């Protein structure tokens, strides 16, 4: 009659979750457990574990490869490995590199522009890119090293689903005050009096950007460039304040 090999059932191991690393390699937790019959000399040689593919996902199948029996009684057994192993591959987190913001002259809004585009240091061989969305200063006002928020960064490419972006932090730029032309005043001609003093006509006024509240205060002090007689002599004005 025949003696057919007995099954040696292995248990005690589970597939471990991992962060996406662009490979199908899987790791196991636990230890191999099995019970040969009657004190037989048989052992299980460990092999490798592999995900069904490299991509991020939940409950991804994991297969075992290369496991084998050894020992004097190994020929009396067939190896039965755990079936239905699975684990998760979570997307890898990466930070965006290369983003920088242009300084600008005050324009009464919070819009900001990029001086350098975004790049992503993806894993070797992966097809993934990042495109910059929108940048906004935290407020519209002039100032140095003003914080800038970036939104709308988008990943693209065949491997984009395997990545998530860390928030963009510590971007800043300057908003310099806008020049504001004063109108409504003119210099008055005079008869030579051996001084540089000049008189002004009209009232100083400014036209600020839409929505801004800006006015001019101060009486204004006007002076000719020098005391001498002449036509269309330059006159400087001081003492006006926004």
């Amino acid at each position: 009659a025949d003696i057919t090999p007995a099954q040696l059932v292995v248990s005690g191991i589970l597939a471990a979750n991992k962060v996406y690393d662009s490979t199908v390699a899987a790791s196991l937790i636990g230890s191999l457990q099995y019970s040969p019959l009657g004190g037989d000399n048989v052992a299980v040689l460990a092999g490798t574990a592999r995900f069904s593919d490299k991509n991020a996902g939940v409950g991804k199948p994991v297969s075992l490869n290369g496991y084998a029996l050894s020992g004097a009684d190994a020929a009396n057994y067939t190896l039965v490995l755990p079936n239905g192993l699975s684990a998760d591959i979570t997307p890898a987190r990466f930070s965006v590199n290369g983003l920088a913001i242009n300084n600008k002259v005050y324009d009464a809004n919070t819009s900001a522009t990029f001086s350098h585009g975004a790049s992503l240091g993806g894993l070797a061989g992966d097809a993934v890119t990042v495109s910059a969305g929108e940048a906004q200063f935290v407020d519209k006002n002039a100032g140095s090293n003003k914080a800038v928020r970036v939104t709308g960064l988008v990943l693209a490419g065949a491997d984009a689903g395997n990545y998530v972006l860390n928030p963009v932090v510590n971007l800043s730029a300057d908003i310099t005050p806008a020049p504001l032309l004063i109108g409504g005043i003119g210099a008055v001609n005079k008869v030579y009096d051996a001084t540089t003093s000049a008189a002004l006509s009209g009232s100083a006024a400014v036209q600020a950007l839409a929505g801004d509240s800006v006015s001019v205060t101060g009486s204004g002090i006007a002076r000719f460039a020098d005391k001498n007689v002449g036509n269309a002599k330059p006159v400087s004005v001081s003492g006006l304040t926004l």
Side-chain angles (χ1 to χ4, degrees):
D2 300 339
I3 300 178
T4 57
Q7 291 185 337
L8 188 63
V9 178
V10 174
S11 62
I13 54 174
L14 297 171
N17 298 332
K18 75 169 185 176
V19 176
Y20 175 77
D21 62 4
S22 80
T23 75
V24 296
S27 58
L28 301 173
I29 53 178
S31 58
L32 296 174
Q33 297 177 10
Y34 49 91
S35 299
L37 298 171
D40 277 356
N41 179 9
V42 60
V44 177
L45 301 177
T48 60
R50 296 169 62 88
F51 283 96
S52 56
D53 60 58
K54 71 173 185 174
N55 299 317
V58 177
K60 296 179 68 69
V62 174
S63 60
L64 301 177
N65 305 281
Y67 283 76
L69 294 175
S70 67
D73 298 305
N76 295 319
Y77 294 87
T78 57
L79 184 61
V80 179
L81 295 171
N83 192 23
L85 293 180
S86 65
D88 302 341
I89 300 179
T90 55
R93 283 194 166 273
F94 273 82
S95 296
V96 173
N97 304 316
L99 279 179
I101 304 298
N102 288 314
N103 298 328
K104 74 170 185 176
V105 176
Y106 175 78
D107 58 4
N109 65 64
T110 60
S111 64
T113 58
F114 296 105
S115 59
H116 293 90
S119 63
L120 183 71
L123 296 171
D126 275 1
V128 57
T129 60
V130 59
S131 58
E134 295 184 352
Q136 298 281 333
F137 285 96
V138 291
D139 59 56
K140 69 174 185 175
N141 300 319
S144 298
N145 293 319
K146 295 180 66 70
V148 175
R149 299 189 187 99
V150 175
T151 58
L153 292 173
V154 177
L155 291 174
D159 296 302
N162 297 317
Y163 295 84
V164 291
L165 292 176
N166 287 320
V168 177
V169 295
N170 298 328
L171 289 182
S172 64
D174 301 340
I175 301 179
T176 54
L180 195 56
L181 183 64
I182 294 178
I185 55 174
V188 178
N189 298 333
K190 75 169 186 177
V191 176
Y192 174 78
D193 61 4
T195 74
T196 59
S197 63
L200 297 173
S201 62
S203 299
V206 291
Q207 183 63 50
L209 294 169
D212 279 358
S213 176
V214 184
S215 59
V216 180
T217 61
S219 57
I221 300 170
R223 292 193 176 279
F224 284 97
D226 58 54
K227 70 175 184 175
N228 301 318
V229 171
N231 295 325
K233 295 178 66 68
V235 174
S236 61
V237 179
S238 60
L240 298 176
T241 303
L242 295 175

